[in-house]
Structures are given as C-alpha cells and as structure tokens.
Amino acid sequence: MKILIAEDDENSRHLLEVVLSSNGYEVISFDNGFKALVYLKTNAVDLIVSDILMPEMDGYGLCREVKQNPYLQNIPFIFYTATYTSAQDERFAMSLGATKFLVKPMMMEDFLPVIAKIINANYQGSPQESNGKTHFGPLRLDKQHADIMRMKLDKKLIELNEEKQKLIASEARFRDFAEASADWFWESDANLRIQALAGSPAGLEFYSLEDLAKTCHSHIPSEMLETLQSHKHFSDYVVHFIDASGKLVYLRVSGKPIFDEDIGFIGYRGVGRDVSEMIALNRRVEFLASHDELTGLPNRGLFKQRLNHAIAKANRINSQVLLLYFDLDHFKLVNDTLGHEAGDLLLIMATKRISECIRSYDTLCRLGGDEFVMIMEEASPQDGHRLVRDIIAKFTTPFDLYQQRVYTTISVGVSVYPDDTVDPQSLLVFADLAMYRAKQNGRNCFEFYTTDLNFIAHQWLDMENGIRHALKENQLFLEYQPQVENTNQNVVGIEALLRWQHPERGLISPLEFIKIAEQSSLINQIGDWVLEAVCQQIRIWLDQGYQVPRVSTNISARHLRSENLIQALKTLPVKYQIPTNMLCIEITEHALLDDIDIVKKNMSFIKEAGFNISLDDFGMGHSSLIYLKRWAVDEVKIDRAFISGLQNCEEDRVIVKAIVALADALGLDIVSEGIENQSQADIVKASGCKVVQGYFYSIPLPAAEIATWSTK
C-alpha cells in the first residue's frame, strides 16, 4: 500500500515517513500541495495524508483538486494538522470531500489503526465518511477557502511574532530544555537490531544495541548488556564511536522496552544526543579545578598535594626535595604600560622558558600573578644551583610582546627539605623569603634560604608593628565598590574594600600588608575591625534614610579558622541593629581547603545565622563544586582572570557561559568582577550574568560618595 504525505514541517514529515515505513507501507512525501498534485497526476497511491498550511498550495487546495479530478477523487484523503484547528476547519475540510480530519499530536499507536482502517475500507469498496464531493458552488467555495486561509495566515503571523518575543525574553530559561532535548531517536527489534534511526550523528554505523553497549563509557559495558538482555529501562548511558572523519564522538542514549499485548518483548524505543562538547567542557572544568587557566600549569591546590607527596617519598627513600620560588622582575610595570594582555602573554612565554630548562619529572606550578614554584625531587642543592643558573640565563633574551621588545629578568629563592625544615608550609615560606632577598640584592639572581635572613625578618616585624599601630591609631579605612545590574545600573550590592593610609608612606596597598598580616593573628584583628566598620556604616546609612543593598566583606582563611569569628558575627548585627541578610561573607576557595572542625563549625554558623555566603575567585580554586554543595553557597564571583581574557579568548567566553549556566541550574546568584571596558561588559551580559562589578562601572568610593548610588 502506497501513502502520499504532504507536510511542510520537516520533523513531522520525517516522523510520518519513519513510522509508516516501519509498519510496511510504501511512503512518498512532499513539502507542499503543488508537488504532491503533480505526482498524483502520473502515479497511483492508496491514501493521502496532508497538513493544511503549506507553501505554494495548501492542504485545502490539494484536497479540492483531488476531489474534483475524476481519476483521483476516490483516493481517501486525511487531514492531519495542528494549525489553529477549529470546528469550522473540520466542517470545511469535510465539505471538500476529506475522509478524516485528525488533530496533532496523536500517539502513533492511535494514528496507525486509523490509517489501516481507511485503507482497508477503501480497498474493500466500503463507503467512506465523505463522498468526495463538495457541497458548495465554486465561487462560494473559493471565498470560504480564501477567508479561512487568510485567518490562518493572520494567526500564524501573530503567533510567530509572539513566539519571537517569547524566545528573546526566555532564552536563558529554555537553555536547559534545549540541552535536555534529544537530537535523534531510534528503534530496535526483539533481537536488539536497530531498525530505525532518525537524525543520528554522521558516521554512526552501529547495527545493534549490543554493539552500542560494548562502547559504553559511563557504565561497565557488561552492565549495559545485562540491562538490554533483561529488557529493562535505561537512561543517560554514554557510549562513544569514531565518526567518518576520525573524531571521537560521545552519545548519551536512553531507551524504553516495548511489549505487545501479551507482554512479549518486541524491542526498544529510545532517544539520544551528541554530548561530545559537553564532555569536553566538563573535562576542561575539571582540569581548571587543579590547573592554572592561563599557563596550564598545576595551581596552588595541586601544588600542595604534589609537595606533600614529594616530601613523603623523600622521607621514605632518604632523599632531598628542593623548592624553587620564581618571581618575574618588574612584571607590574609591563602590566601597567602595555596592558594585561601583554602581561598574560609574558607569563605564557616565561612559563615556556622555564619549562625548557627543567627535568621531565620536575613539577612547575603557578601560585598566581607572576609567582611560580617548582618541586625538584631527588635533587641536591648542586642540582638546583645548576638549574637556576640555566633558567636565569634564559631570561637574558628579551621578549617580543606585540611588537615591543621587553627585557624581564627573574628572581629565584630556594629552600631544601629536610635541611631547612620538614614542614611543607615552612618550606614554601622559606623559599619565598629567599626569593625576596634575591629581589633585595638587585634582582636577576637567586638565593638559597639561610638562617641569617634577619633583615627580612626585621622588615616583616616592622610591617607587623605598623599594622598594630594602624589598628590603634585608626589609620585603616574602607572604600566601597558597587555591584550593579548590567541592564539598568541599579545597585544590588556593595563590596567593602580595606585601605591603609600611612602617615609617612601614604596609601599602602593591601597586597603589601595583608600577606604579612595573614602570617600572624593580626589578620583576625583586621577582620574583626572590618566587620564592625561595615556594620557601623550600614547603621549610619539606614539612619540617613538610604535604601542599603547587601554589603559584602571578605573573610581571610586564617580568620575563618579562628574561634572569635563566631562571637563577632553574633554580637555586631545585634549591636548595630541590622539584619544578618544585609551582610554577605566573601570567602575564597583557598580558605576552605583546611577541612577541620573549626572551619566546619564557623561555616555552619554563618549559613544558619542568615548571612549570605559568596565564593570569591570562582573557578580558580580546587574543588569548586564540592564547596557549592557542602556549604550551600548563595553567590559565586567569576574571577577577573576569566573576565580579562573575554575579548580575545574563546575558551574564557565558554568558561564564563558554563559558570553562569551552572549557577543558574543551582539557583545561585552570580557576580562578574573586574570589568574594565564596554566589550567585557557586553560579553558578560550576553553570557547571562546580570550582576557586575569593576572600574568600568565605578572605582571604589568613600562611604559618603557611595551613598549617592542609593536612593532615599
């Protein structure tokens, strides 16, 4: 039996082709009524299935031509449509001589019996539901036809415009639906042989589900085979194959067993999609959890693991471990004069020069900025001496940065396990101190750690005393940087930033004194001071009648481990009569590395007391997803390292989109920090991030000036 299909929607047409063909019918299909009519004039068919609204000739026109042609009028004609159907549409269709008027969507189990019944009735000469003759005169029929089609087209235009607006407004909302939808579907017989494939990836040559199971990636292949042989439902099994171009393709497939009326297994029916890009992105995110995005080197978290491993191994075999601490000389000058892109390029080129000198089993890591460390296992100080000289010699050649010749040298500090210390953290501190001495000695050189680094200790001691004096003499102050919605510039948050105005040295950057404060309990005192200053300022703003958004304040890793943090968070909101949800506690992933009881206790209190929790520098740490789940984080801040590369790095744009999608899926707020220009702002906005922060919107401001961003 031959069935002709007239349907302009490719997916609907293809579905009918597959279903009818798999049920033994010969199928011919066209995307408009005119092509179907041309075919009918020279070819016989047993049934016509047509949509209504089609280009060139619509379904009504096709039906009318068929029923007015004495050679064609006995062919059963079924309308199968979902185009604004109404009782009037059905009456008009039947008046043209249609046999049946069916409305989409229909289950194929219901659709196929209708087809079979009409074909059998026509084949046996049984009377049809319509006599195939129209009930109106030609003029009246033309007018009614034109009126109905005009109304349908008007409705179609209105609907298309409405759908366009909905799609624009709901793009973010439907992103997950689009990802969850299947790209292709398949069916198998009782022997698991694949009988029908629609929309499958190019080059897929599997002929049975058993072959597919042997390539299972997400489960043990035997497990998938057992599931198939047991005729059980399965979902989200990931399989892989090599396509025609030699590319490895991953597919996510799900299947449902199909049984007949006697509960006999007759095959599987399922869906699937190509998830190669998703798997590649997941691997990229996993890589970035332990590696530096710019250079590809292990980051601080992986460095800590490898250093502990190297020390444990050295302890077993009675060997030495050398830790080398590198810092590029005058790197800040390159950033300030040539821009951050040139600075990033310099870091990449410096990494390459260092890597060319080291042994294959040495571990080079980037801690951040222009600071690198390297672990040398089973090496003597003499080995380290030779290697450092080779590396310093590499930096005598200038770097070519965007047609600018730049001379940048390197300073290196070296500490030795177990000669200097057996503690991993102390080994890093000693290497850092030795590097600092190399800087003091004129840069472009190296120093081994020795116990006579008294002058460095004195400088650290002077800075510590200066911080104590600053706390006592009220030399510390806060500035505030607004966090705004990128659509309307409304302030939705404020970040409090610490500053130190020294009476002799002037404004001292936090980068200079926070590191020293973190080495002592001073960072806890500073943290307590900041918390109280923020609460006090919020109270002042509220008393002045301003609408105060949420205010974020940073908590250091050491402060998070302190016993007095909870006391401060308990008393200060009560003292200044401010709700806890007006405060957002910003914590870096690095601060959560120490999985100790006091950290768990403090984090639990922060959440239970109603404070917001923001995970700062998201994507640059160690186990981001673990922390999001464990601590019920409210907000994540995309690190400025990703933002700075948005204009020229496709990977950065993909990562930002992935972070935004992850935050949306988990119901988290998200802030992009470090936005410095319109291009970055546009890309971040297009990625779906609504809250932004950076110099492009406002520099950090005094409390009196930030108040002008609010309204009374």
Side-chain angles (χ1 to χ4, degrees), residues 335-336 339-341 481 640-641 643-647 672-682 684 692-698:
N335 260 345
D336 292 344
H340 291 291
E341 292 182 6
Q481 189 172 39
R640 66 182 65 244
I643 303 301
S644 63
L646 285 178
Q647 296 165 259
S672 294
E673 60 180 350
I675 296 180
E676 298 179 352
N677 55 57
Q678 183 68 58
S679 178
Q680 292 172 351
D682 292 341
V684 166
V692 290
Q693 175 183 353
Y695 278 43
F696 178 68
Y697 299 95
S698 173

Side-chain angles (χ1 to χ4, degrees), residues 560-561 591-592 594 596-603 631:
L560 187 62
R561 296 193 300 267
L592 300 175
D594 292 329
I596 56 179
D597 290 340
I598 186 62
V599 171
K600 295 177 181 178
K601 175 183 175 183
N602 288 353
M603 286 296 295
W631 304 120

